[in-house]
Amino acid sequence: MSILKGKKAVIIGLASTRSIAWGIANALKGQGADLAFNFQNEKLEARVKKMAQELGSSVCLPMDVSSDDEIANFFNSLKNQFGNFDILIHSVAFAPSSQLEGSFTEVTDRDGFRIAHDVSSYSLTAVTKAALPLLNDNASILTLSYLGAVKAMPSYNVMGLAKASLEANVRFLAYDLGPKSIRVNGISAGPIKTLAASGIKGIKTMLDHMEQASPLRRNVTIEEVGNAAAFLASDMASGITGQVVYVDSGYSIVGMSLS
Ligand code: 0WE
C-alpha cells in the first residue's frame, strides 16, 4: 500500500547520499510521492541534481535558508515548476565548527549562538511562512531534531539550544497552523554518520555508545528515519501535530543502562 500516492513533497537539506534528507526522499518516493529539492550552493548543485534525477525529480532549485531573498526566489520558482504541494521536509542545521567542541561556556560566542539559531531554528519559521501560499489542505511539515534539545551532553553545545528552539518552533507552528489543517512535527533521530556528522570529533565514540546503551543495542539508519517521516507526512498521522517523535533505538527512554 502506498501511503503518499498523489502527494507532492519539497525536501530542504539534501547534501549527500548519507543525508537524513536522502533517507526521507527515498521513503517518500517509495510511498508514491513526487519530489522537489533545494541545493544550498553551486558546490552542491551537480551532486544534488543527480540525486534528484535518480528519484525521478527534475525540480531542484537553489536556496540557502540563511537568505530571505533566496527563500523568496525558491518558492517563486517552485510555484511555476512544481505547483502547490502537500509535504515540506526541513532537514537543515548548522553551527560554526568552533562551537561544537570543548567547554560550552568557553567556546560559545554571540556569533556562533546567532548563526546556530538562525540556520537551525529560524529557517523552519522562514520556509514555513514562504511555503504557506503553496501548501494544500492537510499539508504536513516535518523537521529533524536531536536529543541535545532536551538533555545536556558534551560538544553538542549551542546546537542543543538551537534544537530546543526548533522543538518549540514545531509547537508554535503547529498551534498557529492547526486551524488551517496543516500539521507540524519533528523527528528526533539518534546519531547518524552523515557528511555533516563525519567532521565531528568523537562521533565514533557516540555511535559505539548507542550500540551499548540503547534498548535496541544498535544505531538507527536514514532508512528508518525516512520511514517514520513517510508516516508522519501521510494521512495515517492525521491526528498528530506539534510532536517530536524519537527514532533513536529507544536511547532517550533509558535512565541507566548496565551491560
Ligand atoms: O545536529 C547534528 C549536527 C549538525 C551540525 C553539524 C556540523 C558539522 C560541520 C551542525 N553544524 C555543523 N557545523 C560544521 O561545521 N547532529 C545531531 C549530529 C551531531 O553533531 C554533534 C553531535 C551529534 C550527534 C556535535 C557534537 C556532539 C555530538
Side-chain angles (χ1 to χ4, degrees):
M1 188 195 51
S2 298
I3 62 175
L4 298 175
K5 215 174 133 229
K7 301 261 193 199
K8 290 160 71 178
V10 175
I11 297 176
I12 299 166
L14 180 59
S16 82
T17 55
R18 285 192 286 174
S19 294
I20 290 175
W22 180 246
I24 294 175
N26 274 281
L28 267 51
K29 177 73 185 172
Q31 293 297 331
D34 285 333
L35 310 178
F37 299 88
N38 83 311
F39 57 90
Q40 189 201 346
N41 53 42
E42 315 81 63
K43 217 187 85 186
L44 289 172
E45 179 169 4
R47 187 162 72 203
V48 175
K49 281 186 169 169
K50 184 160 169 274
M51 287 189 283
Q53 259 175 20
E54 268 183 58
L55 294 178
S57 171
S58 56
V59 185
C60 190
L61 299 162
M63 173 172 61
D64 184 324
V65 296
S66 65
S67 158
D68 287 335
D69 278 357
E70 294 194 26
I71 291 173
N73 290 337
F74 176 83
F75 285 100
N76 261 322
S77 304
L78 197 69
K79 183 171 22 180
N80 301 322
Q81 296 186 33
F82 197 58
N84 290 1
F85 59 98
D86 307 284
I87 298 163
L88 179 64
I89 306 292
H90 173 272
S91 186
V92 179
F94 181 77
S97 56
S98 65
Q99 305 294 291
L100 296 175
E101 191 183 321
S103 154
F104 171 65
T105 316
E106 284 172 18
V107 304
T108 306
D109 59 29
R110 194 180 297 275
D111 250 33
F113 186 104
R114 178 184 56 74
I115 292 166
H117 284 73
D118 182 9
V119 178
S120 311
S121 178
Y122 175 69
S123 66
L124 177 66
T125 316
V127 298
T128 297
K129 195 192 276 205
L132 211 49
L134 299 179
L135 285 178
N136 291 328
D137 288 348
N138 304 311
S140 173
I141 300 172
L142 259 184
T143 188
L144 276 301
S145 192
Y146 180 60
L147 186 61
V150 297
K151 300 286 181 186
M153 61 178 68
S155 304
Y156 200 61
N157 294 349
V158 76
M159 271 307 304
L161 282 68
K163 290 300 195 187
S165 167
L166 179 71
E167 292 185 1
N169 212 328
V170 165
R171 291 184 287 272
F172 275 79
L173 289 170
Y175 181 83
D176 198 35
L177 303 181
K180 301 187 200 291
S181 278
I182 297 170
R183 298 181 297 106
V184 186
N185 292 290
I187 291 175
S188 185
I192 297 175
K193 201 169 173 194
T194 62
L195 202 58
S198 66
I200 287 148
K201 212 173 117 190
I203 188 76
K204 174 75 165 68
T205 313
M206 293 173 212
L207 293 166
D208 289 348
H209 175 67
M210 289 289 294
E211 288 186 1
Q212 311 292 317
S214 65
L216 294 181
R217 299 294 196 278
R218 62 175 180 79
N219 283 286
V220 295
T221 64
I222 59 171
E223 288 77 18
E224 290 176 309
V225 176
N227 287 336
F231 163 67
L232 287 171
S234 79
D235 297 333
M236 304 278 288
S238 55
I240 303 176
T241 194
Q243 299 301 315
V244 178
V245 175
Y246 284 76
V247 180
D248 69 342
S249 301
Y251 183 80
S252 60
I253 61 108
V254 174
M256 184 186 309
S257 192
L258 294 177
S259 78

